[in-house]
Amino acid sequence: MPFLESAKDLAPIVAVIAFFQLVVLQQSLPDLGNLLTGLLMVVVGLALFARGLEMGLFPVGENMAYDFARKGSVLWLMLFSFALGFGTTIAEPALIAVAKEAATVAAAGGIISETEEARAQYATGLRITVAVSVGIAIVIGVIRILKGWPIHYLIMAGYLAVVVVTGFAPVDIIGIAYDSGGVTTSTITVPLVTALGVGLASSIKGRNPMVDGFGLIAFASLTPMIFVMLYGIWVH
Amino acid sequence: MVALQEFFLNLLATLRDVLPIAAIIFGFQFLVIRRPIPNFRKVLIGFALVIVGLALFLQGLQQALFPLGKLMADQLTAPSFIYGTAQQLVEQVHWADYYWVYLFAAAIGFSTTIAEPSLLAVAIKARDVSGGVITIWGLRIAVALGVAIGIALGTFRIVTGTPLHYYIITGYIVVIIQTFYAPRMIIPLAYDSGGVTTSTVTVPLVAALGLGLAATVPDRSPLIDGFGLIAFASLFPIMTVMGYAQLGQWLRYRQQCKLKQKVEAHVNT
Protein backbone atom coordinates (compact mmCIF):
# COMPACT_ATOMS: atom_id res chain seq x y z
CA MET A 1 0.00 0.00 0.00
CA PRO A 2 2.72 2.57 0.72
CA PHE A 3 3.76 2.33 -2.94
CA LEU A 4 0.25 3.15 -4.06
CA GLU A 5 0.26 6.12 -1.71
CA SER A 6 3.53 7.38 -3.22
CA ALA A 7 2.25 6.87 -6.74
CA LYS A 8 -0.63 9.16 -5.84
CA ASP A 9 1.86 11.78 -4.63
CA LEU A 10 3.57 11.73 -7.97
CA ALA A 11 0.51 11.75 -10.22
CA PRO A 12 0.19 15.57 -10.34
CA ILE A 13 3.75 16.06 -11.66
CA VAL A 14 3.23 13.45 -14.36
CA ALA A 15 -0.06 15.07 -15.37
CA VAL A 16 1.47 18.56 -15.53
CA ILE A 17 4.49 17.49 -17.56
CA ALA A 18 2.39 15.39 -19.94
CA PHE A 19 -0.10 18.20 -20.47
CA PHE A 20 2.46 20.87 -21.20
CA GLN A 21 4.61 18.62 -23.33
CA LEU A 22 1.81 17.11 -25.43
CA VAL A 23 -0.81 19.86 -25.55
CA VAL A 24 0.97 23.18 -25.09
CA LEU A 25 4.37 22.54 -26.63
CA GLN A 26 2.98 19.82 -28.91
CA GLN A 27 5.97 17.56 -28.71
CA SER A 28 6.23 13.87 -27.99
CA LEU A 29 7.57 12.49 -24.72
CA PRO A 30 11.23 11.66 -25.30
CA ASP A 31 12.63 8.34 -24.16
CA LEU A 32 9.53 6.87 -22.58
CA GLY A 33 11.31 3.83 -21.09
CA ASN A 34 13.80 5.98 -19.25
CA LEU A 35 11.00 8.18 -18.01
CA LEU A 36 8.98 5.28 -16.65
CA THR A 37 11.88 3.61 -14.82
CA GLY A 38 12.78 7.01 -13.36
CA LEU A 39 9.25 7.49 -12.10
CA LEU A 40 9.23 4.00 -10.61
CA MET A 41 12.41 4.85 -8.69
CA VAL A 42 10.86 8.06 -7.39
CA VAL A 43 7.77 6.18 -6.17
CA VAL A 44 9.76 3.42 -4.45
CA GLY A 45 12.19 5.95 -2.98
CA LEU A 46 9.43 8.11 -1.53
CA ALA A 47 7.73 5.08 0.04
CA LEU A 48 10.98 3.86 1.64
CA PHE A 49 11.70 7.36 2.90
CA ALA A 50 8.29 7.67 4.57
CA ARG A 51 8.71 4.26 6.21
CA GLY A 52 12.21 5.14 7.42
CA LEU A 53 10.96 8.41 8.91
CA GLU A 54 8.54 6.65 11.21
CA MET A 55 11.04 3.92 12.14
CA GLY A 56 14.19 6.01 12.58
CA LEU A 57 14.17 9.78 12.36
CA PHE A 58 10.97 10.56 14.28
CA PRO A 59 11.59 8.25 17.28
CA VAL A 60 15.22 9.37 17.61
CA GLY A 61 14.32 13.07 17.55
CA GLU A 62 11.54 12.60 20.10
CA ASN A 63 13.60 10.38 22.36
CA MET A 64 16.39 12.89 22.54
CA ALA A 65 13.87 15.59 23.41
CA TYR A 66 12.48 13.45 26.28
CA ASP A 67 15.95 12.61 27.54
CA PHE A 68 17.10 16.23 27.52
CA ALA A 69 13.91 17.27 29.30
CA ARG A 70 14.43 14.58 31.95
CA LYS A 71 18.10 15.43 32.37
CA GLY A 72 17.10 19.05 32.90
CA SER A 73 20.34 20.45 31.51
CA VAL A 74 19.43 23.54 29.53
CA LEU A 75 23.03 24.24 28.55
CA TRP A 76 23.49 20.85 26.86
CA LEU A 77 20.16 21.23 25.13
CA MET A 78 21.24 24.61 23.75
CA LEU A 79 24.54 23.17 22.61
CA PHE A 80 22.77 20.28 20.91
CA SER A 81 20.31 22.63 19.20
CA PHE A 82 23.08 24.81 17.87
CA ALA A 83 25.10 21.81 16.69
CA LEU A 84 22.05 20.36 14.95
CA GLY A 85 21.28 23.63 13.15
CA PHE A 86 24.88 24.37 12.22
CA GLY A 87 25.87 20.81 11.35
CA THR A 88 22.93 20.09 9.09
CA THR A 89 23.22 23.38 7.22
CA ILE A 90 26.95 23.66 6.55
CA ALA A 91 26.97 20.58 4.30
CA GLU A 92 23.62 21.29 2.64
CA PRO A 93 24.07 20.94 -1.17
CA ALA A 94 21.43 23.59 -1.94
CA LEU A 95 23.29 26.07 0.23
CA ILE A 96 26.61 25.26 -1.44
CA ALA A 97 24.99 25.99 -4.81
CA VAL A 98 23.44 29.25 -3.62
CA ALA A 99 26.72 30.41 -2.05
CA LYS A 100 28.55 29.76 -5.30
CA GLU A 101 25.99 31.72 -7.25
CA ALA A 102 26.15 34.58 -4.77
CA ALA A 103 29.93 34.72 -5.23
CA THR A 104 29.46 34.97 -9.00
CA VAL A 105 27.01 37.83 -8.52
CA ALA A 106 29.38 39.61 -6.15
CA ALA A 107 32.27 39.20 -8.57
CA ALA A 108 30.19 40.48 -11.50
CA GLY A 109 29.12 43.46 -9.42
CA GLY A 110 32.75 44.29 -8.64
CA ILE A 111 32.32 43.80 -4.90
CA ILE A 112 35.04 41.17 -4.76
CA SER A 113 37.83 40.61 -7.27
CA GLU A 114 37.23 38.30 -10.24
CA THR A 115 39.58 35.57 -9.05
CA GLU A 116 38.79 31.97 -8.20
CA GLU A 117 40.28 32.46 -4.74
CA ALA A 118 38.23 35.53 -3.86
CA ARG A 119 35.04 33.81 -4.97
CA ALA A 120 35.78 30.66 -2.97
CA GLN A 121 36.51 32.75 0.10
CA TYR A 122 33.29 34.72 -0.33
CA ALA A 123 31.25 31.53 -0.78
CA THR A 124 32.77 29.85 2.27
CA GLY A 125 32.15 32.93 4.39
CA LEU A 126 28.55 32.98 3.27
CA ARG A 127 28.07 29.28 4.05
CA ILE A 128 29.45 29.69 7.57
CA THR A 129 27.26 32.76 8.06
CA VAL A 130 24.11 30.88 7.06
CA ALA A 131 25.02 27.80 9.13
CA VAL A 132 25.62 29.94 12.23
CA SER A 133 22.32 31.73 11.62
CA VAL A 134 20.44 28.42 11.43
CA GLY A 135 22.16 27.24 14.62
CA ILE A 136 21.09 30.43 16.38
CA ALA A 137 17.57 30.04 14.98
CA ILE A 138 17.16 26.56 16.45
CA VAL A 139 18.49 27.78 19.81
CA ILE A 140 16.00 30.68 19.84
CA GLY A 141 13.21 28.31 18.81
CA VAL A 142 14.05 25.85 21.60
CA ILE A 143 14.18 28.67 24.18
CA ARG A 144 10.74 29.71 22.96
CA ILE A 145 9.41 26.19 23.54
CA LEU A 146 10.94 26.07 27.03
CA LYS A 147 9.50 29.45 27.97
CA GLY A 148 6.21 29.01 26.12
CA TRP A 149 6.42 32.36 24.34
CA PRO A 150 3.87 32.92 21.58
CA ILE A 151 5.60 32.49 18.23
CA HIS A 152 4.14 35.40 16.33
CA TYR A 153 5.88 38.16 18.29
CA LEU A 154 9.25 36.60 17.55
CA ILE A 155 8.40 36.09 13.87
CA MET A 156 7.15 39.65 13.57
CA ALA A 157 10.37 40.93 15.11
CA GLY A 158 12.19 38.80 12.54
CA TYR A 159 10.13 40.27 9.68
CA LEU A 160 10.86 43.75 10.94
CA ALA A 161 14.57 42.94 11.01
CA VAL A 162 14.36 41.63 7.42
CA VAL A 163 12.65 44.82 6.26
CA VAL A 164 15.08 47.12 8.06
CA VAL A 165 18.17 45.25 6.86
CA THR A 166 16.80 45.20 3.29
CA GLY A 167 16.94 49.00 3.36
CA PHE A 168 20.70 48.91 3.86
CA ALA A 169 21.65 45.82 1.86
CA PRO A 170 23.29 46.02 -1.58
CA VAL A 171 20.60 45.44 -4.24
CA ASP A 172 22.46 42.51 -5.79
CA ILE A 173 22.26 40.38 -2.68
CA ILE A 174 18.57 40.83 -1.81
CA GLY A 175 17.24 38.14 -4.16
CA ILE A 176 19.80 35.59 -3.01
CA ALA A 177 19.24 36.46 0.64
CA TYR A 178 15.48 36.03 0.36
CA ASP A 179 15.92 32.71 -1.43
CA SER A 180 18.42 31.42 1.12
CA GLY A 181 15.68 31.26 3.73
CA GLY A 182 13.93 28.57 1.75
CA VAL A 183 16.86 26.40 0.77
CA THR A 184 18.54 25.85 4.10
CA THR A 185 16.16 23.30 5.53
CA SER A 186 16.81 19.94 3.92
CA THR A 187 14.74 16.80 3.69
CA ILE A 188 16.52 15.16 6.60
CA THR A 189 16.73 18.23 8.83
CA VAL A 190 13.01 18.99 8.67
CA PRO A 191 11.69 15.70 10.13
CA LEU A 192 14.38 15.64 12.81
CA VAL A 193 13.90 19.23 13.93
CA THR A 194 10.11 18.83 13.88
CA ALA A 195 10.33 15.69 16.02
CA LEU A 196 12.65 17.51 18.45
CA GLY A 197 10.24 20.42 18.82
CA VAL A 198 7.15 18.29 19.22
CA GLY A 199 8.97 15.95 21.63
CA LEU A 200 10.15 18.86 23.79
CA ALA A 201 6.72 20.45 23.87
CA SER A 202 5.06 17.19 24.85
CA SER A 203 7.55 16.37 27.62
CA ILE A 204 7.37 19.78 29.32
CA LYS A 205 4.40 20.33 31.57
CA GLY A 206 2.01 23.04 30.42
CA ARG A 207 3.15 23.03 26.79
CA ASN A 208 0.90 21.99 23.96
CA PRO A 209 2.73 20.11 21.17
CA MET A 210 0.54 21.70 18.52
CA VAL A 211 0.93 25.30 19.71
CA ASP A 212 4.48 25.09 21.07
CA GLY A 213 6.03 22.15 19.24
CA PHE A 214 6.03 23.52 15.71
CA GLY A 215 7.85 26.66 14.69
CA LEU A 216 11.52 25.64 14.71
CA ILE A 217 11.65 25.48 10.90
CA ALA A 218 10.08 28.93 10.73
CA PHE A 219 13.02 30.42 12.63
CA ALA A 220 15.50 28.42 10.59
CA SER A 221 14.12 29.89 7.37
CA LEU A 222 13.96 33.46 8.68
CA THR A 223 17.40 34.11 10.19
CA PRO A 224 19.42 33.21 7.05
CA MET A 225 17.70 36.07 5.18
CA ILE A 226 18.88 38.58 7.77
CA PHE A 227 22.37 37.14 8.10
CA VAL A 228 23.02 36.88 4.35
CA MET A 229 22.10 40.54 3.89
CA LEU A 230 24.27 41.51 6.86
CA TYR A 231 27.09 39.55 5.27
CA GLY A 232 26.52 41.45 2.03
CA ILE A 233 26.65 44.79 3.86
CA TRP A 234 29.77 43.75 5.74
CA VAL A 235 31.67 42.61 2.62
CA HIS A 236 30.52 45.67 0.73
CA MET B 1 25.61 0.42 -15.85
CA VAL B 2 25.59 4.21 -15.98
CA ALA B 3 22.36 4.27 -14.00
CA LEU B 4 23.90 2.05 -11.33
CA GLN B 5 26.90 4.31 -11.11
CA GLU B 6 24.67 7.35 -10.77
CA PHE B 7 22.66 5.64 -8.08
CA PHE B 8 25.86 4.94 -6.20
CA LEU B 9 26.85 8.61 -6.45
CA ASN B 10 23.45 9.66 -5.16
CA LEU B 11 23.76 7.20 -2.32
CA LEU B 12 27.14 8.69 -1.41
CA ALA B 13 25.73 12.22 -1.58
CA THR B 14 22.82 11.29 0.70
CA LEU B 15 25.20 9.55 3.09
CA ARG B 16 27.30 12.69 3.22
CA ASP B 17 24.17 14.67 4.11
CA VAL B 18 23.18 12.27 6.85
CA LEU B 19 26.63 11.74 8.31
CA PRO B 20 27.02 15.04 10.22
CA ILE B 21 23.47 14.66 11.55
CA ALA B 22 24.10 11.08 12.67
CA ALA B 23 27.39 12.14 14.28
CA ILE B 24 25.69 14.89 16.27
CA ILE B 25 22.80 12.69 17.35
CA PHE B 26 24.81 9.66 18.36
CA GLY B 27 27.58 11.81 19.85
CA PHE B 28 25.17 13.58 22.17
CA GLN B 29 23.29 10.36 22.88
CA PHE B 30 26.38 8.48 24.05
CA LEU B 31 28.46 11.27 25.59
CA VAL B 32 25.86 13.57 27.13
CA ILE B 33 22.65 11.65 27.65
CA ARG B 34 24.49 8.36 28.21
CA ARG B 35 21.46 6.20 27.71
CA PRO B 36 21.05 3.56 25.05
CA ILE B 37 18.66 4.41 22.23
CA PRO B 38 15.50 2.30 22.60
CA ASN B 39 14.92 -0.09 19.69
CA PHE B 40 18.37 0.68 18.37
CA ARG B 41 18.17 -1.92 15.60
CA LYS B 42 14.87 -0.58 14.36
CA VAL B 43 16.23 2.96 14.36
CA LEU B 44 19.24 1.89 12.34
CA ILE B 45 16.99 0.17 9.80
CA GLY B 46 14.93 3.35 9.67
CA PHE B 47 18.01 5.46 8.93
CA ALA B 48 19.07 3.01 6.23
CA LEU B 49 15.61 3.18 4.65
CA VAL B 50 15.70 6.97 4.68
CA ILE B 51 19.11 7.04 3.00
CA VAL B 52 18.30 4.44 0.34
CA GLY B 53 14.85 5.96 -0.22
CA LEU B 54 16.19 9.46 -0.74
CA ALA B 55 18.96 8.24 -3.04
CA LEU B 56 16.46 6.33 -5.20
CA PHE B 57 14.15 9.32 -5.17
CA LEU B 58 16.90 11.69 -6.34
CA GLN B 59 18.10 9.26 -8.96
CA GLY B 60 14.60 8.91 -10.39
CA LEU B 61 14.10 12.67 -10.43
CA GLN B 62 17.41 13.24 -12.20
CA GLN B 63 16.66 10.57 -14.73
CA ALA B 64 13.05 11.32 -15.50
CA LEU B 65 11.76 14.64 -14.35
CA PHE B 66 14.51 17.22 -14.09
CA PRO B 67 15.81 17.08 -17.69
CA LEU B 68 12.30 17.21 -19.08
CA GLY B 69 11.13 19.88 -16.65
CA LYS B 70 14.13 22.08 -17.34
CA LEU B 71 13.77 21.63 -21.08
CA MET B 72 10.13 22.61 -20.85
CA ALA B 73 10.96 25.66 -18.74
CA ASP B 74 13.44 26.73 -21.43
CA GLN B 75 11.00 26.14 -24.26
CA LEU B 76 8.09 27.89 -22.60
CA THR B 77 10.15 31.00 -21.85
CA ALA B 78 11.75 31.16 -25.30
CA PRO B 79 10.61 34.20 -27.34
CA SER B 80 9.95 31.94 -30.34
CA PHE B 81 7.23 30.16 -28.33
CA ILE B 82 5.74 33.26 -26.78
CA TYR B 83 5.60 35.42 -29.90
CA GLY B 84 5.26 32.66 -32.45
CA THR B 85 8.23 33.93 -34.43
CA ALA B 86 11.92 33.25 -34.17
CA GLN B 87 12.56 36.96 -34.06
CA GLN B 88 14.51 37.77 -30.94
CA LEU B 89 13.97 41.50 -31.26
CA VAL B 90 11.04 42.41 -29.12
CA GLU B 91 11.05 46.04 -28.10
CA GLN B 92 8.45 45.95 -25.42
CA VAL B 93 7.42 42.94 -23.37
CA HIS B 94 3.82 42.71 -22.49
CA TRP B 95 3.25 40.76 -19.30
CA ALA B 96 0.05 39.17 -20.60
CA ASP B 97 1.93 37.40 -23.41
CA TYR B 98 3.49 35.12 -20.85
CA TYR B 99 0.25 33.43 -19.74
CA TRP B 100 1.54 29.91 -20.43
CA VAL B 101 4.56 30.64 -18.28
CA TYR B 102 2.38 31.68 -15.32
CA LEU B 103 0.20 28.65 -15.75
CA PHE B 104 3.19 26.34 -15.99
CA ALA B 105 4.73 28.00 -12.93
CA ALA B 106 1.58 27.45 -10.90
CA ALA B 107 1.13 23.86 -12.10
CA ILE B 108 4.72 22.83 -11.53
CA GLY B 109 4.77 24.57 -8.14
CA PHE B 110 1.64 22.74 -7.05
CA SER B 111 2.63 19.31 -8.28
CA THR B 112 6.23 19.33 -7.05
CA THR B 113 5.11 20.46 -3.61
CA ILE B 114 2.69 17.55 -3.33
CA ALA B 115 5.64 15.20 -3.92
CA GLU B 116 8.02 17.02 -1.53
CA PRO B 117 9.27 14.52 1.09
CA SER B 118 9.87 17.05 3.87
CA LEU B 119 6.33 18.38 3.56
CA LEU B 120 5.08 14.80 3.87
CA ALA B 121 7.11 14.45 7.08
CA VAL B 122 5.62 17.58 8.62
CA ALA B 123 2.12 16.60 7.50
CA ILE B 124 2.44 13.18 9.18
CA LYS B 125 3.58 14.85 12.42
CA ALA B 126 0.82 17.46 12.25
CA ARG B 127 -1.83 14.78 11.79
CA ASP B 128 -0.51 12.78 14.75
CA VAL B 129 -0.19 15.78 17.03
CA SER B 130 -3.54 17.33 16.13
CA GLY B 131 -5.32 14.01 16.63
CA GLY B 132 -6.45 13.96 13.02
CA VAL B 133 -8.03 17.44 12.93
CA ILE B 134 -5.39 18.37 10.36
CA THR B 135 -5.30 15.79 7.61
CA ILE B 136 -2.18 14.93 5.61
CA TRP B 137 -3.83 15.80 2.31
CA GLY B 138 -5.51 18.93 3.65
CA LEU B 139 -2.20 20.38 4.73
CA ARG B 140 -0.37 19.29 1.60
CA ILE B 141 -2.96 20.79 -0.72
CA ALA B 142 -3.06 24.04 1.26
CA VAL B 143 0.73 24.34 1.08
CA ALA B 144 0.83 23.35 -2.60
CA LEU B 145 -1.75 26.01 -3.45
CA GLY B 146 0.40 28.57 -1.70
CA VAL B 147 3.47 27.53 -3.65
CA ALA B 148 1.48 27.63 -6.90
CA ILE B 149 0.29 31.18 -6.27
CA GLY B 150 3.73 32.23 -5.07
CA ILE B 151 5.65 30.92 -8.04
CA ALA B 152 3.14 32.24 -10.57
CA LEU B 153 3.39 35.68 -8.99
CA GLY B 154 7.17 35.31 -8.88
CA THR B 155 7.36 34.71 -12.64
CA PHE B 156 5.08 37.70 -13.17
CA ARG B 157 7.55 39.77 -11.14
CA ILE B 158 10.45 38.62 -13.32
CA VAL B 159 8.53 39.51 -16.51
CA THR B 160 7.55 42.94 -15.23
CA GLY B 161 10.87 43.55 -13.48
CA THR B 162 9.37 45.02 -10.32
CA PRO B 163 11.49 44.97 -7.13
CA LEU B 164 11.28 41.77 -5.10
CA HIS B 165 11.14 43.33 -1.68
CA TYR B 166 7.91 45.22 -2.34
CA TYR B 167 6.11 41.91 -2.86
CA ILE B 168 7.76 40.26 0.12
CA ILE B 169 7.05 43.14 2.48
CA THR B 170 3.40 43.26 1.36
CA GLY B 171 3.28 39.51 1.97
CA TYR B 172 4.63 39.99 5.48
CA ILE B 173 1.92 42.53 6.23
CA VAL B 174 -0.78 40.11 5.05
CA VAL B 175 0.75 37.31 7.16
CA ILE B 176 0.78 39.53 10.26
CA ILE B 177 -2.84 40.59 9.79
CA GLN B 178 -3.91 36.98 9.23
CA THR B 179 -2.04 35.90 12.36
CA PHE B 180 -4.43 37.93 14.50
CA TYR B 181 -7.51 36.24 13.05
CA ALA B 182 -6.36 32.66 12.45
CA PRO B 183 -6.95 29.91 15.05
CA ARG B 184 -4.03 29.96 17.50
CA MET B 185 -3.33 26.28 17.00
CA ILE B 186 -2.41 26.62 13.33
CA ILE B 187 0.01 29.57 13.56
CA PRO B 188 3.29 27.76 14.31
CA LEU B 189 2.51 25.07 11.75
CA ALA B 190 1.70 27.72 9.13
CA TYR B 191 4.99 29.53 9.77
CA ASP B 192 6.83 26.21 9.49
CA SER B 193 5.19 25.31 6.21
CA GLY B 194 6.98 28.24 4.60
CA GLY B 195 10.31 26.55 5.16
CA VAL B 196 9.46 22.97 4.30
CA THR B 197 8.02 23.53 0.86
CA THR B 198 11.20 24.06 -1.02
CA SER B 199 13.74 21.31 -1.03
CA THR B 200 14.60 18.33 -3.15
CA VAL B 201 11.94 18.47 -5.83
CA THR B 202 10.87 22.07 -6.10
CA VAL B 203 14.15 23.99 -5.99
CA PRO B 204 15.88 22.61 -9.11
CA LEU B 205 12.83 22.95 -11.35
CA VAL B 206 11.83 26.36 -10.05
CA ALA B 207 15.38 27.69 -10.25
CA ALA B 208 15.55 26.57 -13.89
CA LEU B 209 12.30 28.38 -14.62
CA GLY B 210 13.48 31.60 -12.97
CA LEU B 211 16.88 31.63 -14.64
CA GLY B 212 15.42 30.73 -18.05
CA LEU B 213 12.87 33.48 -17.79
CA ALA B 214 15.35 36.11 -16.64
CA ALA B 215 17.69 35.15 -19.48
CA THR B 216 15.08 35.56 -22.24
CA VAL B 217 13.03 38.57 -21.13
CA PRO B 218 14.79 41.69 -22.45
CA ASP B 219 16.53 43.89 -19.88
CA ARG B 220 16.52 41.23 -17.16
CA SER B 221 19.71 39.88 -15.72
CA PRO B 222 19.63 36.23 -14.70
CA LEU B 223 22.04 36.98 -11.88
CA ILE B 224 19.79 39.56 -10.27
CA ASP B 225 16.26 38.87 -11.50
CA GLY B 226 16.52 35.08 -11.66
CA PHE B 227 16.39 34.79 -7.89
CA GLY B 228 13.40 35.32 -5.71
CA LEU B 229 11.09 32.50 -6.80
CA ILE B 230 12.04 30.39 -3.77
CA ALA B 231 11.29 33.37 -1.53
CA PHE B 232 7.78 33.58 -3.01
CA ALA B 233 7.36 29.83 -2.64
CA SER B 234 8.22 30.06 1.05
CA LEU B 235 5.99 33.02 1.82
CA PHE B 236 2.64 32.18 0.25
CA PRO B 237 2.10 28.78 1.92
CA ILE B 238 2.04 30.62 5.27
CA MET B 239 -1.02 32.51 4.03
CA THR B 240 -2.78 29.53 2.49
CA VAL B 241 -2.25 27.29 5.53
CA MET B 242 -3.71 29.94 7.82
CA GLY B 243 -6.47 30.41 5.26
CA TYR B 244 -7.13 26.66 5.32
CA ALA B 245 -7.60 26.77 9.09
CA GLN B 246 -9.73 29.91 8.86
CA LEU B 247 -11.94 28.27 6.25
CA GLY B 248 -12.38 25.22 8.49
CA GLN B 249 -13.27 27.46 11.41
CA TRP B 250 -15.77 29.43 9.36
CA LEU B 251 -17.43 26.27 8.02
CA ARG B 252 -17.80 24.88 11.54
CA TYR B 253 -19.20 28.21 12.72
CA ARG B 254 -21.76 28.27 9.92
CA GLN B 255 -22.77 24.69 10.63
CA GLN B 256 -23.32 25.55 14.27
CA CYS B 257 -25.41 28.57 13.32
CA LYS B 258 -27.57 26.44 11.05
CA LEU B 259 -27.95 23.82 13.75
CA LYS B 260 -28.96 26.49 16.22
CA GLN B 261 -31.54 27.89 13.80
CA LYS B 262 -32.94 24.44 13.26
CA VAL B 263 -33.20 23.80 16.97
CA GLU B 264 -34.83 27.18 17.50
CA ALA B 265 -37.30 26.58 14.69
CA HIS B 266 -38.09 23.22 16.19
CA VAL B 267 -38.64 24.73 19.64
CA ASN B 268 -40.84 27.48 18.25
CA THR B 269 -43.20 25.17 16.44
Side-chain angles (χ1 to χ4, degrees):
Chain A
M1 274 314 109
F3 294 110
L4 201 72
E5 201 50 45
S6 301
K8 229 162 71 184
D9 297 344
L10 213 63
I13 300 190
V14 176
V16 167
I17 292 206
F19 173 76
F20 275 88
Q21 187 76 359
L22 300 174
V23 180
V24 181
L25 292 167
Q26 300 191 338
Q27 282 163 6
S28 62
L29 288 170
D31 210 351
L32 204 62
N34 212 0
L35 196 70
L36 287 178
T37 48
L39 284 177
L40 190 70
M41 277 195 266
V42 173
V43 168
V44 174
L46 201 57
L48 290 181
F49 173 78
R51 185 86 192 90
L53 273 186
E54 305 208 44
M55 277 176 75
L57 251 50
F58 280 162
V60 160
E62 261 163 57
N63 254 310
M64 293 206 80
Y66 291 132
D67 285 342
F68 273 120
R70 195 180 308 125
K71 206 172 178 342
S73 164
V74 176
L75 188 74
W76 278 118
L77 179 60
M78 295 294 119
L79 216 66
F80 174 71
S81 310
F82 184 83
L84 196 64
F86 183 89
T88 54
T89 310
I90 193 84
E92 172 67 33
L95 176 63
I96 295 172
V98 165
K100 230 168 131 185
E101 235 139 354
T104 316
V105 172
I111 296 163
I112 53 170
S113 57
E114 275 275 15
T115 60
E116 194 68 39
E117 200 183 334
R119 275 206 296 258
Q121 203 183 4
Y122 184 89
T124 310
L126 191 65
R127 266 173 68 194
I128 294 173
T129 309
V130 173
V132 167
S133 75
V134 174
I136 292 173
I138 307 283
V139 169
I140 295 175
V142 166
I143 294 175
R144 177 193 82 89
I145 296 174
L146 297 181
K147 299 274 183 196
W149 292 332
I151 189 169
H152 48 276
Y153 295 119
L154 287 169
I155 295 289
M156 279 177 208
Y159 283 173
L160 196 68
V162 170
V163 173
V164 170
V165 176
T166 303
F168 296 99
V171 183
D172 302 353
I173 201 129
I174 293 176
I176 295 165
Y178 283 15
D179 272 2
S180 71
V183 298
T184 47
T185 42
S186 79
T187 316
I188 295 159
T189 320
V190 167
L192 207 57
V193 166
T194 306
L196 178 75
V198 169
L200 268 180
S202 23
S203 54
I204 298 171
K205 232 175 133 187
R207 299 281 171 279
N208 175 334
M210 195 68 211
V211 176
D212 302 298
F214 290 97
L216 288 178
I217 310 288
F219 290 112
S221 35
L222 191 57
T223 52
M225 297 168 67
I226 303 167
F227 277 69
V228 170
M229 285 193 281
L230 286 177
Y231 183 74
I233 296 171
W234 181 66
V235 172
H236 210 71
Chain B
M1 225 47 241
V2 177
L4 205 67
Q5 212 170 17
E6 263 175 44
F7 174 72
F8 201 68
L9 284 180
N10 273 321
L11 199 63
L12 273 181
T14 317
L15 260 176
R16 202 191 50 206
D17 282 4
V18 176
L19 220 57
I21 301 173
I24 291 166
I25 288 180
F26 294 122
F28 271 85
Q29 187 78 37
F30 293 129
L31 297 176
V32 179
I33 294 177
R34 292 198 195 146
R35 276 162 54 93
I37 297 173
N39 298 323
F40 190 55
R41 265 178 67 99
K42 200 177 159 194
V43 166
L44 278 188
I45 297 173
F47 266 81
L49 282 181
V50 163
I51 293 168
V52 173
L54 264 186
L56 261 179
F57 184 75
L58 285 175
Q59 163 82 18
L61 284 180
Q62 283 162 10
Q63 189 178 321
L65 290 174
F66 287 164
L68 198 55
K70 283 178 185 165
L71 190 71
M72 288 168 68
D74 282 348
Q75 286 173 336
L76 282 169
T77 53
S80 56
F81 172 77
I82 287 160
Y83 298 103
T85 59
Q87 249 182 337
Q88 293 272 337
L89 283 169
V90 181
E91 289 284 314
Q92 200 93 53
V93 232
H94 195 273
W95 64 269
D97 292 332
Y98 284 82
Y99 56 95
W100 277 123
V101 174
Y102 309 138
L103 206 66
F104 180 70
I108 208 81
F110 183 89
S111 55
T112 53
T113 306
I114 293 283
E116 199 65 79
S118 42
L119 176 60
L120 176 64
V122 169
I124 292 174
K125 241 324 36 100
R127 178 203 57 191
D128 295 348
V129 170
S130 71
V133 174
I134 295 165
T135 59
I136 291 183
W137 277 98
L139 186 68
R140 286 166 99 185
I141 289 174
V143 173
L145 274 178
V147 175
I149 298 169
I151 295 185
L153 200 64
T155 49
F156 169 77
R157 183 196 76 85
I158 294 176
V159 170
T160 54
T162 31
L164 171 66
H165 52 277
Y166 293 166
Y167 291 82
I168 300 294
I169 291 169
T170 313
Y172 283 172
I173 294 169
V174 174
V175 167
I176 289 171
I177 294 172
Q178 250 183 317
T179 301
F180 287 108
Y181 295 98
R184 208 167 78 92
M185 185 187 88
I186 200 78
I187 293 170
L189 184 64
Y191 287 162
D192 265 3
S193 58
V196 300
T197 49
T198 43
S199 42
T200 344
V201 199
T202 320
V203 172
L205 282 182
V206 164
L209 187 66
L211 292 176
L213 200 56
T216 50
V217 176
D219 296 332
R220 302 283 173 276
S221 140
L223 284 181
I224 293 170
D225 300 295
F227 294 99
L229 284 182
I230 311 287
F232 277 87
S234 346
L235 183 58
F236 280 78
I238 305 180
M239 299 177 205
T240 49
V241 170
M242 283 200 273
Y244 161 67
Q246 284 174 301
L247 189 73
Q249 198 181 34
W250 183 73
L251 286 176
R252 270 193 300 281
Y253 174 76
R254 234 183 47 163
Q255 219 171 19
Q256 274 167 1
C257 283
K258 265 192 190 154
L259 212 68
K260 222 163 146 189
Q261 274 174 351
K262 255 190 199 161
V263 171
E264 272 165 12
H266 198 74
V267 168
N268 286 342
T269 47

